Amino acid sequence: MPADAPPLRSLSLHAPHRGLPELVLGRMAAQLAPGEGPYDAVPRLERRVAELLGKPAALLFPTGTMAQQVALRLHADARGRRGVAFHPYCHLDEAERQGYTVVHGLHAVRVGERERLLTLAELREVEEPPAALLLELPQRSIGGQLPEWDELVAQTEWARERGAATHLDGARLYLAQPYYQRPLAEIAGLFDSVYVSATKGLGGVADAVLAGSEELIRHARVWRHRLGGAAEVAWPSALAAEWTMDTQLPRVPEYVATARELASGLRGAEGIEVLCDPPQTPLFHLHLAASPESVLVAARRLSEERGVYLPRYAGTMPSPRMSTIEITVGAQFDDVPVAEAVALLTELVARARELDRGCGQR
């Protein structure tokens, strides 16, 4: 196929060719009940998410960044404390330019080691009483890992015993539910506030919903307006989120099974290590024995040759000859058999290693 032609299939959940925005927009009208208009979509989504999570109220935000910073600020203001305890790989710390500090005057209380889940024992070593404990389910940056249920319960109890709020970064919470085999409302019930998104891990367009008490959401609505996030024209996001929830949420157990099948096929492949193995969610990482630069070159070339879009981002590792890529199994695997995906990823690493050995031209 021509080098500039878009691949028709993909191993990446958010490949540009899949046309999800156009598909969703084309079905929006069908989602409106008789007598409803587009502006009814936002409160309907908020009610739906609140009910799904077992919370009294919910509020749609333009981004999860805004939603979570608002939630933590409100918890801090209510308790007269400014520290927030979280894992060193917390998204607020890693990817949001410390907005929680610059905008809201909060500070980090980092707990645990970067490359593994934090533990109750590590929390017990925290001396400063935090305003809130933030936990991410699943922990994306360490391969989609999840704490066991009893450990999760114990950690949230630790926070409450110290007068701290509990907040769940549930950007990919929908992917975690099959592992716990508990209703989403029971998982969310451990937390005072929960952020969820149908975009993260399900391939949606753009949405971020914060759920919690009536009082929390009332104050969050004020802060959303202060920060420029009022949702008067957010109905397309709400409709897109509902469409994604309708079509993708029921399939998450299927995606977990496919992720485990894919991981099993890659187990033992030369130059590939699966994290975590077996996957606990549809999201997992591959550690590759090749440099990020060579992986990206090999991925581009292989995509052009085979007509399958491969991941176009490779993270760095401590060793310059190692890299990591993230796999999230979703509807894109309807088009790509697991055996073919295993073969493509195995060949990707082999080609990248060949480039590292200086036997190819970048």
Side-chain angles (χ1 to χ4, degrees):
M1 62 187 299
D4 59 349
L8 301 178
R9 299 178 296 148
S10 174
L11 297 189
S12 176
L13 186 66
H14 290 282
H17 75 278
R18 292 191 63 80
L20 180 61
E22 293 80 5
L23 179 62
V24 171
L25 289 169
R27 298 186 180 183
M28 281 182 175
Q31 290 181 239
L32 298 174
E36 280 189 329
Y39 291 98
D40 296 311
V42 171
R44 186 177 68 187
L45 173 67
E46 292 170 343
R47 290 191 300 269
R48 177 174 179 176
V49 172
E51 181 178 351
L52 186 65
L53 300 180
K55 298 298 183 186
L59 187 66
L60 178 65
F61 279 80
T63 66
T65 296
M66 184 185 294
Q68 298 205 97
Q69 290 181 16
V70 166
L72 293 174
R73 183 196 179 106
L74 292 173
H75 291 317
D77 289 349
R79 289 160 178 79
R81 306 173 186 174
R82 309 314 291 174
V84 181
F86 49 62
H87 186 276
Y89 263 137
C90 175
H91 192 274
L92 278 75
D93 215 27
E94 288 285 298
E96 299 177 16
R97 301 188 179 183
Q98 289 75 50
Y100 63 90
T101 294
V102 177
V103 180
H104 302 285
L106 307 177
H107 65 262
V109 180
R110 299 177 185 85
V111 187
E113 302 292 333
R114 286 179 70 87
E115 302 304 330
R116 59 175 176 78
L117 293 166
L118 69 85
T119 66
L120 178 63
E122 289 165 334
L123 284 172
R124 285 173 173 163
E125 295 176 359
V126 174
E127 296 181 356
E128 174 186 353
L133 169 65
L134 182 155
L135 298 176
E136 180 186 0
L137 299 179
Q139 190 88 36
R140 179 190 182 187
S141 294
I142 53 175
Q145 294 185 56
L146 291 163
E148 296 304 316
W149 179 256
D150 289 346
E151 174 75 5
L152 182 61
V153 171
Q155 290 181 14
T156 56
E157 288 177 347
W158 172 89
R160 290 197 173 87
E161 288 168 1
R162 284 151 186 79
T166 51
H167 173 74
L168 173 57
D169 178 349
R172 293 164 179 80
L173 175 62
Y174 298 139
L175 306 185
Q177 187 274 330
Y179 184 78
Y180 290 121
Q181 291 295 295
R182 298 170 186 271
L184 285 164
E186 185 175 355
I187 303 171
L190 300 177
F191 298 88
D192 297 301
S193 56
V194 181
Y195 149 61
V196 294
S197 174
T199 302
K200 309 295 186 179
L202 293 178
V205 178
D207 71 291
V209 180
L210 178 68
S213 68
E214 294 279 2
E215 181 180 10
L216 179 81
I217 296 305
R218 184 171 64 253
H219 291 304
R221 191 180 302 275
V222 174
W223 270 102
R224 185 185 67 177
H225 188 77
R226 285 172 175 162
L227 296 173
E232 287 85 353
V233 293
W235 58 267
S237 294
L239 285 173
E242 284 200 289
W243 182 87
T244 303
M245 292 170 70
D246 289 340
T247 60
Q248 299 304 305
L249 271 184
R251 299 191 64 185
V252 172
E254 170 193 344
Y255 296 151
V256 174
T258 301
R260 290 176 177 169
E261 183 183 356
L262 178 58
S264 177
L266 293 168
R267 191 177 299 129
E270 186 174 359
I272 299 178
E273 179 184 358
V274 178
L275 181 74
C276 59
D277 188 14
Q280 295 172 308
T281 74
L283 180 154
F284 62 97
H285 288 185
L286 299 178
H287 290 180
L288 311 179
S291 69
E293 297 81 6
S294 291
V295 168
L296 295 180
V297 171
R300 175 177 55 79
R301 293 177 179 174
L302 197 54
S303 295
E304 293 169 355
E305 293 172 16
R306 305 295 173 81
V308 179
Y309 187 93
L310 274 75
R312 296 299 175 93
Y313 173 79
T316 58
M317 299 282 284
S319 167
R321 290 299 180 94
M322 294 286 295
S323 58
T324 179
I325 61 174
E326 182 176 289
I327 300 291
T328 299
V329 172
Q332 83 275 25
F333 273 80
D334 292 345
D335 303 326
V336 183
V338 169
E340 182 181 359
V342 169
L344 283 166
L345 291 166
T346 302
E347 184 171 355
L348 169 66
V349 177
R351 289 193 181 194
R353 297 180 79 184
E354 188 72 13
L355 286 168
D356 280 338
R357 286 191 291 266
C359 296
Q361 295 295 319
R362 296 184 184 178

